[in-house]
Structure formats: structure tokens, C-alpha cells
Amino acid sequence: MARCRSRYTANAVDPDPIILLWLLRILVPLGGHREFVRSHGFNNDTLAEVIGLGHWIDPSPNDFDLKAARSELRLLHLKAEKQWAKAPLPACLRNNVRQLSDLVGLSTTDCRILEFAVSIHNERLLDDTADWLGQISSVKVFHALSAILNLPEPEIRASLSAQGTLARSGLVSVDRSGTSTLRGKLALLSDGFADLMASSEADPISLLRGTVSAAGPAQLKLADYSHINASLEILRPYLRHAATSGRRGVNIFLHGAPGTGKSQLARALADELGCELFEVASEDADGDPVNGERRLRAFRAAQSFFAQRQALIAFDEVEDVFDDGDSFFGRKSTAQVRKAWINRMLEENPVPTLWLSNSIDGLDPAFIRRFDMVFELPVPPKKQRERILQENCGDLIDACIISRIAEAESLAPAVVAKASSVVRSIRDDLGQMGCASAFERLISNTLEAQGHRPIVQNDPNRLPEIYDPGFIHADADLASVAAGLIAARAGRLCLYGPPGTGKTAYGRWLAEQLGIPLLIKRASDLMSMWVGENEKNIARAFRQADQDGALLLIDEVDSFLQDRRGAQRGWEVSMVNEMLTQMESFSGVFIASTNLMPGLDQAALRRFDLKVKFDFLRPEQAWELVRRYCKQLQLPAPQPDLLTRTMRLQRLTPGDFAAVLRQHRFRPIQSPTTLISALEAECAVKEGGKASIGFL
């Protein structure tokens, strides 16, 4: 596009006639001459020269005739009114205004105001001259524009009203807060908008530079979002209908943790629908953040600019608008300040919009109900995480590492993509083994920085090689329980008993028998210091298990199912209620484990299909485990004389054997006697446990 430079600058002496006329109207009818022409001379010699008073510029104040200078100024104004009342603006600005007029439907008055607003933002001399009007209110803005543009004040008011096309399109709006200069009161679409309008003939996208941009190509497909198929089955046909029928007021609110692929989902939807996608920028061309007010103005412009196109708009990081207030200091968010406009926009916007946010917590419920759809984009389930890792990094890491990394429940696609990009850029320097190590380290560090658990090198929930449910001392036939769950594919179990008796291990074994993933949540995973977060975390755990088709095991469930009769705080009751609600609605296999059965809520106990007590090993179980561990450690078979010592260990658990086996890595067990001694030591440190001495 050929550029056409504006002929007038801050130091120009030959402004366009229409600019000169506006200068004289500010000076004469609006009284700017009182500050311009003073007893000692002019406050701005450049302006004096431009408008034709250069011959009054004299170094000697005594020779300056104030009255005569002001009289000549009035004559110049009258002459200009006769000669230049219909003078045109520069071609670039004139053509761009005409283009916008055709695009959004501007009236003649709208165009005149837009021309002046662009000019006062672009022309320093015009801005400086208007400053002599002082700090003016919104009311005086209308009066000033009426005089400068020679238009009736009611027309000016109507054009700049909240219902006017200029405001609804975001092109020009009046700042109604306090007082300011005339330029400060006339807010444009963006900081660079005035220059773009006056410097080149531009298409609408170019005029929105720094505020709205065409989206880049999608890196993901809708097939990558199979974990939200239930929502997509509604969303896709609804957007398709909106795009083809011209339905107004179509707004979708999508929230989820950073990196879960919200922006990519918007792009994938646009690709499938065959629509253009335009994104409202959160940063300007210089990389500086754009505040909520400016972003709303850009959004309004995009709605007007693209109303006649097959398009979607994505408004990312909407917390900049809906949650940028400060309740502590009583400061309202941008959305609350503009509540009436937001509500009207959510009912009338012509271009379907996807509102994207990292959290829904700060959103006023009054706004939520106005969205057509509100749904969460969670972190993909494990199977999908594995597929994403395979597609992005299958050539960098092996299947074993992929499986281990995929265990990270907070692993978002964006984290994988970023780590993959870094490692690929230096893969020649790292080598195959180095790539795998670097990739895992990058992922782990990012997760930890986000407040999540890092990648664990060893699965703490892995079943021992010699695991056998026959070594669990329970008051139910665990094999029969497993058979029943395999048949029903649903059930609610409460496993209770002392630590180390095998409750979690049994849950893992059950998941393997069922052929489904195991999702373990502990109190540290679900408890939060913020009121209301515990309930959300509980609901999220059940939802994740449902999406993954996983067996959900909540350890230390006594933290969430305490007897409500002893509750001292409201959140303690609501947390129990949430847990009970989720238990009842969950259609899969749920296991709750606890060491503190007596403290559980009575209503909760009634909701479990089966309550199984796990206890210390029976003597025959303990002895058989001793024999098996001796074999595993390649020790001689234990002699009968050790049977007596084993029988004395009345508080022995499978967990004690696991602890002794871990000790073997740095304190080798060299004989069956050493094994028994280690087990005795484990029992001795337990609460109430004592090393037995003497004979049975």
C-alpha cells in the first residue's frame, strides 16, 4: 500500500485550511485568545505565524498592541469562515474515514467528530491550542465540538452517546470521569490509531493493529480435545448455526488453568467452521500490557468491523476486564463499571465470541448467567497426555519416560510444547540420553514453579513384586470383593485400619484387576487455605476420575468426612456435604481409606457399599512373608527358631516389610536373622509398639 505523508507537523507553517479554521474557532468563538494573546505578546509564536499574525512577533513587548492583535485575530477568523468552511482534510485521513463509514455505518456527524478526534491526537499545534480551553468537563466537550465543527450541540451529544455508533464501534468515546483537556476527553481506539488513520490508506485489520489481530494457524485439532467431547458436541453445532444464521449475542465462556489449550481450541473451532478468527490483544505493539478499558474498546471495534464477515472473536485473559478491581479498597472492575454496556453487548454482539480465562473465580455471577455456555477446559487425562507427549516428543524420549511424565496430573499441552521446542533446538548438543533427561527436567521444573508436584522418578504407589492380597488381614474376602467390582464396574468402599496394613496397595491392585487407571488423592492434594477451594478440589477430583475412567482413591478421607456434629466452622460442614454429594453421583469405583474410622460422619458411613477393616498381619501371614522376602533377597530359608520371634510381632504390617526392603539399599540385610531384627525395630517405634523380649 502506497504511503501518503501528512503535510502538516508540529512546526508546519502551512497547515491544511480545515486545521487552520479549527485553530481559529478555538481561539475566537471559544475564547482561547485570552491565553494566546497576552499583553507582552503571543504565548505561541509558531501558532501566530501559522494563522497569519507573524508580523506582530517583535522582541520588544512595548511595541505590542494587545487590542489591535486581538482585533486582527477576529478578522482572520471571519475570513477563514468564508473561505475554508468546506475545506477537505488530507486524502489519507479522508479516505480512511470514508472506509470506516461504509464499514460500521457512520453518520455525517460521526465522520466529522472522528476526523477532528484523529487530528487533535495527531497534530501537536491543534492539541496545544485546545489546551487553552483548560481542564473541561464532559458537558463542555460537547459545547467545544459544536463550536469547532459548526454542528448543533444536540447532534454532537447524540453522536457521542453510549448508544452512538462511534462509542459502540470503539472508534471514539468521551471519557466521562472528571475533567481533562479536550484531547484527553476524546479517547480513540488505540494509541497508534490516529497515526494509522493519517499516514496511510489502510484496511480494517491494519487500523486495528496492536489491539486486534488475525489468529495464527491452529497447532491442535478438535480430536486433541476428546476429554471435553460432551461440551464440544453442543458447542460446535451452536457456533455453526450462529455463523450461518447471523444469530446475535453468542458468547461462550471457557476457563481452565494456563496451558490447557484454550487459545488453540478457539483456533481449532474456527478452522472446523471455516471462519476467520480474530484475537483481542492483551499487549500492544511494544509488548506493554493493555488495560481492560482499552481492550473493551478494541473488542467493540472488532464487533463492528467484522459484523459482515464469517468470523469468530477470541477475547483471552478476560480477567483483565472482569476481575481487575480491588474489593479491599472498594475499586470496581472494568466490567462492573461498564456493567450496563457489558450486559447489552452479551445480548447483542453480532460476531460470536469466545471469552477465555484462567479462572472463573473472580467473575460476577450476574455476568456468568448471560453467557450461552460456560465450561472448563481441564488438563487432559492421562491417556491423552501420553498421546500428546508421543506426538510432540516421541523421537526424543522413550515410552517408559513418556508413561512416567504422563503421570503428572497437572501437565498441560503448552508445557509439553514449550519443553519440546527448547530440547529440539539443542538436541545435537545433548544427544539422545541428554534429550530425555533435559526434557524431563524442564517439565518437572515448570510444574514445580506453577505450584504442582514435580515428576517423580519412582512411583510410590507401585505394587511390590511379591504383592498378594492374601497377605492382607481383612474382615472381608478381598478376592470376592474384587470379583464383584469387576462385574459391576461401580462401587463405594471404605478401607480402614492402622497405617501400613495395605489399603492403598489394595486399591492399586484393584485398579489393575479392573484394567483402569488409578487416581490417588491425598489430603495435601485437596486441602486449601482458601474458603471454598476444598469443595472445588473435591469436585475436580471426582470429575477427573470420571473423565479418565479411573478408580478414585482418596487417602486420609477422615480429613473430609469428619463428623459434622463436632463442626465449629461453616466450611467444615460444606466440605463434608460436597464429599457426600460427589460420592453419590459418582458412577465409577471409589475407595476411601482412613486410619481414623471413629471420627467419620455417620451419614458418610451409610453411603459406603462396603466397609472393610484392615488389621495387623496374622502370625501365619507374617511368617510366610518372612519366607518370601528371604527368597527375594536371596537369603537362606529362615530356620524354625526364628518363627518364635516372628510370632511375637503382633503389630506387624506389610508396610513394615516394604520399609525394611527400602533400607536394604543402604543397609544390606545379610541373613534371615537380620531381617527379623529389622522388622522388630520397625514395630518398636510404632505408637504403643514394643520389641518383645522372652518367650511366648
Side-chain angles (χ1 to χ4, degrees), residues 80 102-103 110-111 128 154 168 241 245 280 283 306 330 337 339 345 372 390 463 467 510 554 579 611-612 618 636 696:
D102 294 339
L103 185 65
D110 294 336
C111 291
D128 289 345
R168 286 191 291 105
H241 171 74
S245 67
V280 179
E283 297 179 346
F306 308 127
V337 173
K339 191 170 185 177
M345 178 271 301
D372 301 305
Q390 183 62 45
L463 284 173
Y467 180 82
L510 269 180
I554 296 183
M579 179 66 78
K611 294 174 280 291
V612 184
R618 296 190 298 269
L696 284 175

Side-chain angles (χ1 to χ4, degrees), residues 104-115:
V104 304
L106 299 177
S107 68
T108 301
T109 300
D110 294 336
C111 291
R112 297 277 298 280
I113 294 172
L114 177 59
E115 292 166 352

Side-chain angles (χ1 to χ4, degrees), residues 362-553:
L363 196 65
D364 189 331
F367 292 127
I368 293 178
R369 66 180 179 82
R370 295 182 178 273
F371 290 99
D372 301 305
M373 288 184 63
V374 179
F375 65 93
E376 181 182 10
L377 182 58
V379 174
K382 183 183 176 183
K383 288 184 179 179
Q384 197 161 334
R385 294 197 297 269
E386 286 181 337
R387 185 169 64 81
I388 292 171
L389 284 164
Q390 183 62 45
E391 291 178 352
N392 281 268
C393 334
D395 58 332
L396 300 175
I397 55 180
D398 60 34
C400 182
I401 297 176
I402 286 177
S403 180
R404 183 167 69 244
I405 296 176
E407 289 287 346
E409 298 170 2
S410 302
L411 182 62
V415 176
V416 175
K418 182 61 69 177
S420 174
S421 175
V422 172
V423 173
R424 288 188 183 283
S425 67
I426 55 175
R427 64 185 306 177
D428 293 340
D429 299 312
L430 296 174
Q432 187 66 34
M433 295 297 294
C435 283
S437 176
F439 184 83
E440 194 167 356
R441 181 177 294 275
L442 289 172
I443 293 285
S444 189
N445 289 348
T446 300
L447 291 176
E448 197 167 9
Q450 292 178 322
H452 307 304
R453 295 179 182 272
I455 296 171
V456 294
Q457 298 298 317
N458 299 301
D459 185 359
N461 300 312
R462 185 180 61 187
L463 284 173
E465 294 180 8
I466 61 173
Y467 180 82
D468 186 338
F471 291 110
I472 294 177
H473 182 191
D475 63 356
D477 186 338
L478 298 182
S480 297
V481 172
L485 289 173
I486 292 171
R489 314 299 293 184
R492 298 187 292 260
L493 277 64
C494 179
L495 312 182
Y496 67 98
T501 49
K503 301 182 291 294
T504 300
Y506 180 66
R508 177 167 288 277
W509 180 79
L510 269 180
E512 290 187 358
Q513 302 309 301
L514 290 162
I516 60 177
L518 175 66
L519 177 62
I520 298 179
K521 294 291 185 180
R522 299 174 177 82
S524 59
D525 300 320
L526 303 177
M527 296 292 283
S528 171
M529 63 182 293
W530 306 110
V531 176
E533 281 299 310
N534 293 343
E535 293 89 330
K536 293 180 181 178
N537 292 338
I538 291 169
R540 192 176 294 115
F542 278 92
R543 185 165 60 250
Q544 182 182 347
D546 183 58
Q547 293 170 345
D548 291 0
L551 185 156
L552 175 61
L553 192 154

Side-chain angles (χ1 to χ4, degrees), residues 131-371:
D131 283 351
W132 288 326
L133 301 179
Q135 299 287 305
I136 60 177
S137 64
S138 301
V139 173
K140 291 184 178 179
V141 169
F142 305 130
H143 173 70
L145 290 177
S146 175
I148 294 170
L149 300 177
N150 195 28
L151 292 170
E153 189 170 330
E155 289 187 18
I156 299 290
R157 286 179 175 273
S159 184
L160 288 174
S161 69
Q163 304 299 321
T165 305
L166 286 175
R168 286 191 291 105
S169 64
L171 295 172
V172 184
S173 59
V174 176
D175 181 2
R176 300 179 184 273
S177 60
T179 60
S180 182
T181 63
L182 181 57
R183 180 183 184 273
K185 280 292 186 179
L186 297 174
L188 293 179
L189 175 60
S190 67
D191 291 335
F193 180 70
D195 183 63
L196 290 169
M197 288 286 290
S199 63
S200 64
E201 294 184 24
D203 57 54
I205 291 293
S206 299
L207 295 175
L208 292 172
R209 187 186 307 160
T211 59
V212 178
S213 60
Q219 303 298 316
L220 299 174
K221 298 182 172 24
L222 289 184
D224 296 309
Y225 295 90
S226 58
H227 55 299
I228 58 166
N229 267 340
S231 296
L232 291 179
E233 287 174 0
I234 303 172
L235 180 58
R236 283 184 292 184
Y238 183 59
L239 288 178
R240 187 176 292 107
H241 171 74
T244 56
S245 67
R247 183 183 177 93
R248 302 176 74 88
V250 175
N251 294 279
I252 313 299
F253 193 95
L254 176 61
H255 62 101
T260 50
K262 299 183 292 293
S263 299
Q264 288 297 322
L265 175 58
R267 296 181 182 186
L269 284 166
D271 283 352
E272 178 162 299
L273 298 173
C275 294
E276 297 177 278
L277 178 68
F278 299 97
E279 298 172 337
V280 179
S282 57
E283 297 179 346
D284 61 19
D286 297 325
D288 297 321
V290 182
N291 64 31
E293 186 73 32
R294 287 288 184 94
R295 298 190 73 201
L296 277 181
R297 198 177 301 152
F299 174 75
R300 286 182 288 184
Q303 288 287 340
S304 298
F305 283 26
F306 308 127
Q308 304 304 316
R309 301 168 73 157
Q310 291 287 309
L312 297 175
I313 293 176
F315 197 123
D316 202 357
E317 300 182 19
V318 301
E319 48 269 35
D320 293 348
V321 173
F322 290 103
D323 194 26
D324 61 344
D326 192 329
S327 58
F328 184 81
F329 292 102
R331 186 169 65 88
K332 295 182 177 179
S333 68
T334 301
Q336 290 169 325
V337 173
R338 300 284 184 265
K339 191 170 185 177
W341 181 87
I342 291 284
N343 289 340
R344 186 166 58 250
M345 178 271 301
L346 291 174
E347 296 171 355
E348 301 176 358
N349 58 296
V351 184
T353 302
L354 297 166
W355 302 78
L356 315 179
S357 177
N358 294 331
S359 174
I360 201 170
D361 293 340
L363 196 65
D364 189 331
F367 292 127
I368 293 178
R369 66 180 179 82
R370 295 182 178 273
F371 290 99

